């Protein structure tokens, strides 16, 4: 019984040791590498386990690269994986570039991948150019007519400028700027409608792909639509603004005239009050003249007769068409 228990315990120990050994030493990958004529040592695979690098993520891309004729080492792939890169995608990009006869060293491919760009897609775009469709760009010609233009830009990835080069938004913005400049310099919108290829030639000649990760192959105008008459709308708005300014100035002048009129009325009333005040002083002056002997009684009666004669003449001059006095003098 003790022998059976001892044998079972020994068997368990052996199974545990074999499982631990197979965990740290991936024999299947080592055999696959030997079958593919790829030199990968056992201790190298164990070191990957200790560095927490999945051996399959290194060995399988290494076998793929070796079969495609790409010269890469285990240390390069492991270092790229530890840096956070996608080893499998980098190897696929190298193979695609090798088949298309595009010079792409491993160091540049790894740098592109670590920069956050899809290196495989970049290589594919170098072989098969991509068409970028711009949004509708609104531009106004010199005659004030708005044109709405949509363009298609055919670009090819520039491998040498993928690291640090601008992306698609920059291409779209530069093409839109070129379209606005070209249309804005045209004397009439009909010139643009007659020769839309002039926009492509002008924009393409500006070197819009400078500093970008792409090489512009062609710029094609997909659609041109006539929009609003911006010039007429601006003139209308300006005329309306001038009209409001003129109305405001006229209202200001009217208010000043009304204020001046009120001032003159007040001044007239003030003068009339002074006249009434002066007239009220006349009887006092006459009484003082009589007391002082400066005015005789006959002089006083002559003055009264003159006043009565004057009132009669004024009444006659104010007579109406019916011969009646409008304001007859009072009977004394």
């Amino acid at each position: 019984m003790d022998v059976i228990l001892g044998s079972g315990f020994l068997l368990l120990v052996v199974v545990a040791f074999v499982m631990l050994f197979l965990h740290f030493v991936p024999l299947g990958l080592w055999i696959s590498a030997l079958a593919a004529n790829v030199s990968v040592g056992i201790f190298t695979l164990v070191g990957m386990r200790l560095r927490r690098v999945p051996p399959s993520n290194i060995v399988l891309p290494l076998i793929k690269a070796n079969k495609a004729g790409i010269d890469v080492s285990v240390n390069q792939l492991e270092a790229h994986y530890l840096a956070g890169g996608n080893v499998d995608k980098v190897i696929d990009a190298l193979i695609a570039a090798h088949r298309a006869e595009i010079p792409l060293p491993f160091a540049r491919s790894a740098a592109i991948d670590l920069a956050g760009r899809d290196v495989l897609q970049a290589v594919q775009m170098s072989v098969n150019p991509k068409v970028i469709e711009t949004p509708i760009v609104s531009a106004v010609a010199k005659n004030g007519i708005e044109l709405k233009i949509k363009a298609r830009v055919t670009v090819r990835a520039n491998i040498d400028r993928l690291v640090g080069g601008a992306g698609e938004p920059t291409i779209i913005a530069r093409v839109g700027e070129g379209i606005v400049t070209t249309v804005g310099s045209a004397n009439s919108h009909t010139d643009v409608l007659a020769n839309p290829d002039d926009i492509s030639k002008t924009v393409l000649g500006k070197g819009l792909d400078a500093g970008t990760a792409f090489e512009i192959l062609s710029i094609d105008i997909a659609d041109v639509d006539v929009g609003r008459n911006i010039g007429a709308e601006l003139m209308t708005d300006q005329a309306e603004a001038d009209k409001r300014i003129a109305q405001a100035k006229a209202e200001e002048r009217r208010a000043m005239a009304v204020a001046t009129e009120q001032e003159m009325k007040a001044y007239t009333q003030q003068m009339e009050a002074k006249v009434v005040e002066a007239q009220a002083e006349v009887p006092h002056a006459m009484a003082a003249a009589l007391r002082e002997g400066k005015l005789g009684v006959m002089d006083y009666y002559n003055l009264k007769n003159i006043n009565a004669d004057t009132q009669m003449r004024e009444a006659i001059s104010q007579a109406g068409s019916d011969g009646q006095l409008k304001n007859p003098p009072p009977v004394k």
Side-chain angles (χ1 to χ4, degrees), residues 9-60:
F9 178 76
L10 181 62
L11 181 62
L12 289 177
V13 171
V14 171
V15 170
F17 176 78
V18 170
M19 293 179 62
L20 184 63
F21 177 80
L22 292 178
H23 174 73
F24 281 98
V25 183
L27 291 177
L29 288 176
W30 181 68
I31 294 173
S32 299
L34 288 179
N37 199 21
V38 176
S39 178
V40 180
I42 288 291
F43 292 103
T44 302
L45 297 176
V46 174
M48 291 182 190
R49 287 292 192 189
L50 296 177
R51 289 186 291 271
R52 296 184 180 181
V53 177
S56 59
N57 290 357
I58 304 299
V59 175
L60 296 180

Side-chain angles (χ1 to χ4, degrees), residues 29-248:
L29 288 176
W30 181 68
I31 294 173
S32 299
L34 288 179
N37 199 21
V38 176
S39 178
V40 180
I42 288 291
F43 292 103
T44 302
L45 297 176
V46 174
M48 291 182 190
R49 287 292 192 189
L50 296 177
R51 289 186 291 271
R52 296 184 180 181
V53 177
S56 59
N57 290 357
I58 304 299
V59 175
L60 296 180
L62 183 64
I63 295 174
K64 190 191 307 183
N66 183 267
K67 290 300 181 181
I70 307 297
D71 185 17
V72 293
S73 65
V74 175
N75 290 333
Q76 287 177 318
L77 299 182
E78 190 174 356
H80 185 64
Y81 178 85
L82 291 174
N86 191 326
V87 176
D88 195 58
K89 185 165 289 187
V90 168
I91 295 300
D92 290 341
L94 290 174
I95 295 173
H98 181 70
R99 292 288 185 268
E101 298 182 356
I102 298 175
L104 179 62
F106 176 82
R108 185 176 296 276
S109 177
I112 294 172
D113 182 61
L114 292 177
R117 295 186 181 273
D118 193 331
V119 61
L120 178 59
Q121 183 182 13
V123 173
Q124 293 173 345
M125 193 184 300
S126 298
V127 179
N128 185 21
K130 179 181 179 180
V131 177
I132 302 175
E133 186 169 309
T134 65
I136 297 177
V137 179
S138 178
V140 182
K142 288 184 179 180
N143 62 346
I145 303 300
E146 177 191 29
L147 293 178
K148 297 180 179 180
I149 300 173
K150 182 184 291 185
R152 290 190 176 95
V153 186
T154 304
V155 297
R156 179 172 57 195
N158 191 326
I159 301 296
D160 296 333
R161 295 202 300 253
L162 276 176
V163 178
E168 293 184 13
T170 301
I171 294 291
I172 294 175
R174 290 182 179 180
V175 171
E177 178 184 353
I179 291 174
V180 172
T181 302
T182 305
V183 175
S185 61
N187 293 324
S188 175
H189 71 287
T190 56
D191 299 337
V192 180
L193 294 175
N195 300 294
D197 57 325
D198 290 345
I199 300 178
S200 303
K201 295 176 182 177
T202 304
V203 175
L204 193 59
K206 291 181 177 294
L208 303 180
D209 53 2
T212 66
F214 303 98
E215 177 185 354
I216 297 179
L217 301 179
S218 67
I219 299 176
D220 304 303
I221 303 302
D223 187 22
V224 180
D225 293 329
V226 179
R228 300 171 298 165
N229 191 337
I230 302 296
E233 291 182 3
L234 292 176
M235 293 176 64
T236 302
D237 294 341
Q238 185 62 44
E240 183 66 23
D242 293 342
K243 172 187 168 184
R244 292 178 181 176
I245 293 174
Q247 288 177 343

Side-chain angles (χ1 to χ4, degrees), residues 273-327:
K274 289 183 178 181
V275 170
V276 172
E277 182 181 0
Q279 289 177 351
E281 293 292 332
V282 172
H284 296 287
M286 292 178 64
L290 287 173
R291 283 195 303 268
E292 296 174 0
K294 295 180 180 179
L295 180 66
V297 177
M298 297 304 299
D299 295 329
Y300 173 75
Y301 280 109
N302 289 334
L303 181 60
K304 296 290 288 183
N305 291 332
I306 293 172
N307 288 336
D309 184 63
T310 301
Q311 292 179 0
M312 182 181 66
R313 291 177 183 274
E314 290 178 354
I316 293 173
S317 64
Q318 295 176 0
S321 58
D322 54 355
Q324 299 292 329
L325 295 179
K326 290 184 179 180
N327 296 312

